[in-house]
Amino acid sequence: MISTITTSQEAIELENKYGAHNYHPLPVVLTKGEGVYLWDVEGKRYYDFLSAYSAVNQGHCHPRIVNAMIQQAQRLTLTSRAFYNDKLGPYEKFVTEYFGFDMVLPMNTGAEAVETAIKICRKWGYEKKGIAEGKANIIVCEQNFHGRTTTIVSFSSDEGARKNFGPFPGGFIRIPYNDIEALKEALAMDNVAGFLVEPIQGEAGVYVPAEDYLQKAAALCKEKNVLFIADEIQTGIARTGSLLAVCGNCTCEKACEKQGTYAQPDMLILGKAISGGVYPVSAVLANKEIMEVITPGTHGSTFGGNPIAGEVAVSALQVVNDERLAQNARKLGKLFRERMNKMIAKTDLVKLVRGKGLLNAIVINDSSEGSTAWDICLQLAENGLLAKPTHGNIIRFAPPLVMTEEQLHDCCDIIEKTILNFKK
Ligand SMILES: *Cc1c(COP(=O)(O)O)cnc(C)c1O
C-alpha cells in the first residue's frame, strides 16, 4: 500500500518534487468522493463543479458502477485481444444498440479514440472514397480540443499545446468554429475525407454553436461524401441535457430514435463519462461500411476492450437511463443559467453565462491573461465549491448530473456570495 498522507501541504510538496509539472492544480488535496461531493485530507467537504472534466457525470464512486468493477476485477481483468473474452461481445452489442451504430472500436483514453477516428477516416478516404494515397485531409476547427498526442496537437490553435512538439504530420485544414460558410469553402477543396468537430467547444470555454450549425454541417458533409465526426468525449453521456449534444433538443431516452434536431454523425467519439470516471474507457462508433476498413493488424490496444472496461461502461450507461440524468441536466441547467443571470445583473465582475444542460461557463470581466478567474476559484474553494478556470478569464461549471435541485440552489448561493463579495 502507498504511505498515508495526512496534510495537504505534504501531498502538494511530493507532487511538486516527483511529478512532471504538466498541470497547474488548485491547492486542494482530495481524498474521498461521493455523488456531488468531494472531501480534502483535512476533512473539508466541497461541491464538485468540474466532475473531472465531465468524466464523473454519474457522480463520484457510484455504487452500481464501482460494484460492477469490483465483481469483474475479482474474476478476469485482462486477456488482450489475442483471445476472445466473454464480456467484450455483450458490451459491444449493448453500446452499439445504445447509440444506434453498427459497430464499435474500443479504446481507453479520449485522445486514443480521436487518433483511432483519424486513422479510420483516412483509411476510408483512400479505400472507399478513392483519395490518392497520402493526400487525405481532415477539416478541424479553430480553438479545438481533441487531446494531447503529437498528431492531435499538430492541429491545435493553442500555442502552449503545440510549441516545440513538432515536426508535425500534415493533412489537417483548420477553419473557424460555428461558421457554415467556412465549412462550405473547405469542403469544396480536393481530397477532404472528414470533418472533426466538438458539438460544443468545452475546453475553449464552452462555446455553443448556432442551433442549426451541426445539422447543416452534417448535411454539407453528406453532400460531399465527407465523414462527419463528432467528438462527444466531453459533451456526450447526458452532460448537455440530451444523451449526446448532436441530439440537439431531443429528450428521448435513446439516441437511436434520431428525431428533432439530431445531426447524424458518421463517426462518434466517446470517452470520459462512458465509464462514469471509474476506469479509462473510450470508443469510436460507426456503421459497417466505414468500420470495415479496419482489418486485423491495422489498429489495436492491449487494454482496449478489456472485460472490466466492458462491465464498467455498461453499468455507467444504464445509470444514465435509469436515473434520468439527461432530463435532470436539462432542468438544472436552465435553473443554473437563470440564477447566474440574476447574479450578473448585480455585478460588473461577470460578463455573461453560456452553456447547455449542465455544461456552462461564466466569463469574468478581465483579460485572458488576468488572474481574476483563478482568484475567484480559490475563493470558491474556500467557500466549499471546486471549479477551475479555462483560458484565463472563463470559469467552467460542470457538476455531476446526479445533483438535486436543492443542492444546485445551495451551489448558486455559494457562487453568488463569492462573486458579490469578491475583492481583488
Ligand atoms: C478530454 C477530451 C479529450 C481527450 O480525452 P483524454 O481522455 O484526456 O485523452 C478529447 N476531446 C475532448 C472534446 C475532450 O473534452
Side-chain angles (χ1 to χ4, degrees), residues 177-190:
Y177 186 63
N178 191 22
D179 185 335
I180 278 293
E181 288 309 313
L183 179 62
K184 259 188 207 159
E185 275 172 42
L187 286 171
M189 302 205 277
D190 290 333

Side-chain angles (χ1 to χ4, degrees), residues 9 82 111 152 166 186 193 236 269 283 336 390:
Q9 196 53 33
I152 293 170
I269 309 171
F336 180 77
T390 180

Side-chain angles (χ1 to χ4, degrees), residues 109-111 145-147 198 231 233-234 272:
T109 65
F145 182 84
H146 297 287
E198 297 157 87
D231 178 349
I233 292 169
Q234 187 161 160
K272 294 192 171 121

Side-chain angles (χ1 to χ4, degrees), residues 23 53 108-112 114 145-148 152 198 200 202-203 231-235 269 271-272 282 396:
Y23 280 90
Y53 300 100
N108 312 285
T109 65
E112 277 178 308
V114 173
F145 182 84
H146 297 287
R148 298 294 198 166
I152 293 170
E198 297 157 87
I200 292 172
E203 289 309 297
D231 178 349
E232 292 244 21
I233 292 169
Q234 187 161 160
T235 51
I269 309 171
K272 294 192 171 121
S282 68
R396 172 175 29 198

